[in-house]
Amino acid sequence: MSEYIERYQRRRLVSSYFSVVLSIALVLFLLGVLGLLVLNTKKMADHFKEQITISVFLKDNAKTVEIDQLQKSLAMAEYTKSAIYVSKEDAAEQYSEDIGENFQDFLGYNPLKNSVDVNLNAAFVTPEQVAQIATELEERSYVDEVSYDKPLVTLLTDNVKRLSLWILIASAIFTVIAVLLINSSIRLSIYSKRFIIKTMQMVGATKKFIRQPFILTNLKLGFIGALIAIVALAISLFYVDKNFPELNLFNDVPMLAILFSSVLLMGLLISFLSTYFATQRFLNLRTDDLYY
């Protein structure tokens, strides 16, 4: 009979530990995903900003030396990510491929112009800065027109600001939820041992002596839960990087180190604090209050 009770209690203990580890791992995984999103918000926003192209169309009488000078000056400018010269012949060929027919056969001539396509660095993609760059380029005598998608620049800038704000708010909310969920799981596991805590206290054990094994046990559980969350995050990162290689997630080693370290420290810190205050609560309760 005593052996059966011992096995039953051991199963209950393992089940309790498993539920704590699982809850910690799930919560930390979700928190890690959100942290990954926060850390990569700027990278993703910069990626989309740098896809915006300013097309500098040149006059037909523009000299080769002027075109070369323009391309070199643009390539050296601090706001430029890339500057590519596109001849009118190349532009006509590309346009014909896009529409599926040779428009020059219909028109009898090529109406397109030589151009330089400029992609800006993300820091300079704001409505004000792009407009200023376009105005400066238009002042050149051999430039016919400067064209870019003004509504898209404005929309992208506004949406990035809005998205960043909501991600920060969501991060704060999910952090609080994570702390509460992990704290609840640990408090429930300690609640089942409240009579053991009070018995040890009644026979003269100090509060520190009673707390120590609970803290060590839950720190181990928090560590295991954090490791599971980190492995799950690594698998998710691999999947995202495979489908969106332009984000270069695995190339940003400092970002990954910050993310994984934060998940591990969060698991240990919450486990320690939750265990400390949970055991302290039962240590301060009267014996009669343990039944409620």
Side-chain angles (χ1 to χ4, degrees), residues 12-163:
R12 285 191 59 188
L13 186 63
V14 171
S15 176
S16 173
Y17 287 163
F18 178 77
S19 63
V20 171
V21 169
L22 185 61
S23 63
I24 291 174
L26 287 174
V27 172
L28 289 179
F29 172 73
L30 293 175
L31 203 59
V33 170
L34 191 61
L36 180 66
L37 187 61
V38 171
L39 292 173
N40 282 279
T41 298
K42 185 178 184 302
K43 181 184 289 186
M44 289 187 290
D46 289 351
H47 170 73
F48 288 115
K49 284 182 177 181
E50 290 173 352
Q51 303 308 307
I52 293 177
T53 301
I54 297 179
S55 296
V56 184
F57 295 103
L58 306 171
K59 293 180 180 179
D60 292 332
N61 60 357
K63 299 177 183 178
T64 303
V65 65
E66 292 174 328
I67 296 174
D68 291 339
Q69 182 182 8
L70 174 64
Q71 188 175 4
K72 289 179 181 179
S73 64
L74 285 173
M76 296 176 61
E78 60 175 346
Y79 54 75
T80 302
K81 179 177 177 62
S82 65
I84 302 173
Y85 172 72
V86 181
S87 67
K88 59 191 303 182
E89 292 77 16
D90 292 338
E93 183 179 349
Q94 181 62 48
Y95 187 63
S96 296
E97 290 181 6
D98 292 341
I99 64 176
E101 60 179 331
N102 191 342
F103 68 96
Q104 295 184 75
D105 293 339
F106 176 74
L107 296 177
Y109 70 102
N110 183 0
L112 303 180
K113 295 181 179 295
N114 299 321
S115 65
V116 178
D117 289 343
V118 183
N119 290 93
L120 303 179
N121 288 317
F124 294 89
V125 182
T126 63
E128 297 78 16
Q129 288 180 300
V130 175
Q132 181 180 353
I133 292 170
T135 301
E136 291 176 358
L137 292 173
E138 285 176 340
E139 292 176 352
R140 299 173 185 259
S141 58
Y142 48 86
V143 172
D144 183 64
E145 181 187 2
V146 177
S147 175
Y148 66 94
D149 195 335
K150 295 181 182 179
L152 179 60
V153 173
T154 303
L155 183 64
L156 184 59
T157 303
D158 293 341
N159 285 341
V160 166
K161 290 180 181 178
R162 192 178 298 112
L163 180 63

Side-chain angles (χ1 to χ4, degrees), residues 65-268:
V65 65
E66 292 174 328
I67 296 174
D68 291 339
Q69 182 182 8
L70 174 64
Q71 188 175 4
K72 289 179 181 179
S73 64
L74 285 173
M76 296 176 61
E78 60 175 346
Y79 54 75
T80 302
K81 179 177 177 62
S82 65
I84 302 173
Y85 172 72
V86 181
S87 67
K88 59 191 303 182
E89 292 77 16
D90 292 338
E93 183 179 349
Q94 181 62 48
Y95 187 63
S96 296
E97 290 181 6
D98 292 341
I99 64 176
E101 60 179 331
N102 191 342
F103 68 96
Q104 295 184 75
D105 293 339
F106 176 74
L107 296 177
Y109 70 102
N110 183 0
L112 303 180
K113 295 181 179 295
N114 299 321
S115 65
V116 178
D117 289 343
V118 183
N119 290 93
L120 303 179
N121 288 317
F124 294 89
V125 182
T126 63
E128 297 78 16
Q129 288 180 300
V130 175
Q132 181 180 353
I133 292 170
T135 301
E136 291 176 358
L137 292 173
E138 285 176 340
E139 292 176 352
R140 299 173 185 259
S141 58
Y142 48 86
V143 172
D144 183 64
E145 181 187 2
V146 177
S147 175
Y148 66 94
D149 195 335
K150 295 181 182 179
L152 179 60
V153 173
T154 303
L155 183 64
L156 184 59
T157 303
D158 293 341
N159 285 341
V160 166
K161 290 180 181 178
R162 192 178 298 112
L163 180 63
S164 300
L165 176 62
W166 281 110
I167 286 178
L168 288 176
I169 294 173
S171 300
I173 294 174
F174 271 92
T175 300
V176 173
I177 293 174
V179 172
L180 293 177
L181 288 176
I182 296 176
N183 179 65
S184 298
S185 299
I186 292 177
R187 287 189 65 177
L188 283 173
S189 68
I190 294 176
Y191 175 79
S192 63
K193 303 178 183 67
R194 63 193 185 282
F195 292 108
I196 298 176
I197 293 174
K198 185 55 66 175
T199 301
M200 293 175 67
Q201 190 177 22
M202 291 176 66
V203 297
T206 62
K207 292 183 178 181
K208 181 179 179 181
F209 179 83
I210 297 171
R211 273 197 304 263
Q212 187 173 358
F214 289 99
I215 290 176
L216 291 176
T217 298
N218 284 301
L219 279 177
K220 292 177 184 177
L221 297 180
F223 181 77
I224 295 172
L227 286 182
I228 294 173
I230 289 172
V231 171
L233 279 172
I235 295 173
S236 301
L237 279 170
F238 176 79
Y239 176 79
V240 173
D241 187 69
K242 185 178 179 180
N243 288 275
F244 302 97
E246 63 273 7
L247 294 178
N248 296 319
L249 294 177
F250 282 103
N251 292 339
D252 196 345
V253 177
M255 183 274 292
L256 293 177
I258 291 173
L259 177 65
F260 293 153
S261 300
S262 299
V263 169
L264 181 60
L265 290 175
M266 183 72 73
L268 294 175

